[in-house]
């Protein structure tokens, strides 16, 4: 690898069998990752939906999983955070992909900086539907029940729900309020955790990089699905980027 002191953060790709150019761009992006970083953090909602079945892998995301496998084989540390769309990671990521999987907020070191990581759902929810969905999907009974549903049916159900959610997409003012609330949460988290240099969140699809003190930041890379956005963290600090070919 060209660098042993750089981390890349990607969030909210929402990949599915219908992602087309978005998925293809992400797979091409993954080909470049081993040459520019030692740690790839995918901070939630990589997929529009994910469920770890005991013997089934969704075919619609096969190429992305294959590309991630090559990233890991190249020696890049891979960390996956469960988002509100793909929280049911189970044992798949560790057993099949040799990746670290986080299903709740956690601390880790990124390019030498001590970071507090969370996707962001359930922390500051202004949308009641989102809060309700988070509580339902986080319940163990829901996961146990879902396991009994045939994969073809489960993915069909999720597509129908996603279509409804897209039709009621937040307006700009609601997104702005959510981003502001999340930023305030991040600043408070930094204030409460004196040993933390970075709070890294996703979920709102709103890119943010705020200096909250000397060498202390709130970082949200924004959404890959909205303009191929990501963040790079080096020993000098974090920065926001957008992919351009």
């Amino acid at each position: 690898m060209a660098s042993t002191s750089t981390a890349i953060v990607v969030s909210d790709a929402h990949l599915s069998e219908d992602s087309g150019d978005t998925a293809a761009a992400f797979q091409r992006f993954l080909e470049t990752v081993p040459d520019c970083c030692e740690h790839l953090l995918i901070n939630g909602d990589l997929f529009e939906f994910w469920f770890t079945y005991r013997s089934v892998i969704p075919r619609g995301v096969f190429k992305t999983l294959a590309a991630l496998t090559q990233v890991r084989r190249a020696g890049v540390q891979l960390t996956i955070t469960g988002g509100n769309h793909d929280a049911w990671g189970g044992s798949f990521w560790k057993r099949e992909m040799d990746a670290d999987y986080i299903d709740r907020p956690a601390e880790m070191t990124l390019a030498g900086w001590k970071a507090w990581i969370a996707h962001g759902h359930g922390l500051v929810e202004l949308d009641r539907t989102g809060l309700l969905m988070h509580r339902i999907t986080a319940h163990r009974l829901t996961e146990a029940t879902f396991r009994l549903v045939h994969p073809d049916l489960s993915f069909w159900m999720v597509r129908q729900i996603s279509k409804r959610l897209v039709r009621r997409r937040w307006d700009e003012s609601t997104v702005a309020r959510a981003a502001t609330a999340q930023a305030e949460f991040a600043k408070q988290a930094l204030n409460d955790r004196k040993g933390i240099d970075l709070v890294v969140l996703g979920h709102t699809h709103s890119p943010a990089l705020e200096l909250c003190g000397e060498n202390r930041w709130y970082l949200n890379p924004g959404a890959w699905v909205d303009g191929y956005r990501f963040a790079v963290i080096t020993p000098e600090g974090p920065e926001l980027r957008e992919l351009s070919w």
Side-chain angles (χ1 to χ4, degrees):
M1 294 181 293
S3 172
T4 59
S5 58
T6 301
I8 290 178
V9 183
V10 183
S11 182
D12 295 281
H14 292 274
L15 302 179
S16 70
E17 59 186 9
D18 301 319
S19 291
D21 291 343
T22 301
F26 187 68
Q27 291 152 21
R28 293 197 302 272
F29 171 70
L30 290 177
E31 293 176 0
T32 71
V33 164
D35 295 325
C36 58
C37 79
E38 69 157 1
H39 191 171
L40 173 62
L41 167 64
I42 300 179
N43 197 25
D45 286 356
L46 171 61
F47 301 127
E48 181 65 15
F49 172 65
W50 176 269
F51 190 87
T52 297
Y53 291 98
R54 292 189 178 92
S55 57
V56 174
I57 297 175
R59 65 186 297 174
V61 296
F62 172 78
K63 290 182 180 179
T64 296
L65 292 175
L68 284 170
T69 297
Q70 293 304 313
V71 169
R72 187 68 191 94
R73 286 180 176 173
V76 177
Q77 182 179 352
L78 177 61
T79 301
I80 307 291
T81 301
N84 50 304
H85 282 257
D86 52 9
W88 291 327
S91 61
F92 173 83
W93 291 107
K94 189 62 180 178
R95 290 179 55 185
E96 309 301 333
M97 303 291 292
D98 192 28
D100 296 318
Y101 178 72
I102 299 172
D103 61 0
R104 57 181 57 85
E107 294 183 10
M108 70 180 65
T109 300
L110 297 172
W113 303 101
K114 192 69 173 180
W116 189 84
I117 312 293
H119 175 63
H121 61 298
L123 299 179
V124 181
E125 292 287 357
L126 301 180
D127 178 48
R128 293 181 179 179
T129 302
L131 181 58
L132 177 61
M133 289 296 293
H134 166 63
R135 289 177 175 175
I136 291 174
T137 56
H139 201 286
R140 290 185 178 181
L141 181 59
T142 304
E143 182 177 358
T145 302
F146 210 86
R147 188 169 296 284
L148 302 176
V149 180
H150 190 281
D152 286 347
L153 178 58
S154 67
F155 275 82
W156 177 85
M157 292 167 55
V158 170
R159 282 195 296 271
Q160 304 314 305
I161 294 172
S162 294
K163 289 177 183 178
R164 291 173 179 265
L165 293 177
V166 168
R167 284 198 293 267
R168 58 175 297 280
R169 185 181 296 274
W170 293 356
D171 57 34
E172 291 185 5
S173 64
T174 304
V175 172
R177 288 193 300 113
T180 298
Q182 189 179 71
E184 291 302 316
F185 173 89
K187 293 172 185 176
Q188 187 61 50
L190 281 166
N191 185 64
D192 293 341
R193 298 168 174 83
K194 300 302 183 182
I196 295 298
D197 307 305
L198 275 168
V199 168
V200 182
L201 302 174
H203 186 52
T204 61
H205 291 214
S206 301
L209 179 57
E210 295 190 35
L211 186 63
C212 303
E214 185 177 359
N215 292 330
R216 306 186 84 206
W217 298 271
Y218 157 50
L219 171 65
N220 185 323
W224 177 269
V225 73
D226 297 330
Y228 305 161
R229 296 187 172 105
F230 63 103
V232 175
I233 306 172
T234 69
E236 287 70 43
E239 60 179 280
L240 297 174
R241 293 189 185 178
E242 294 181 12
L243 185 67
S244 59
W245 297 108

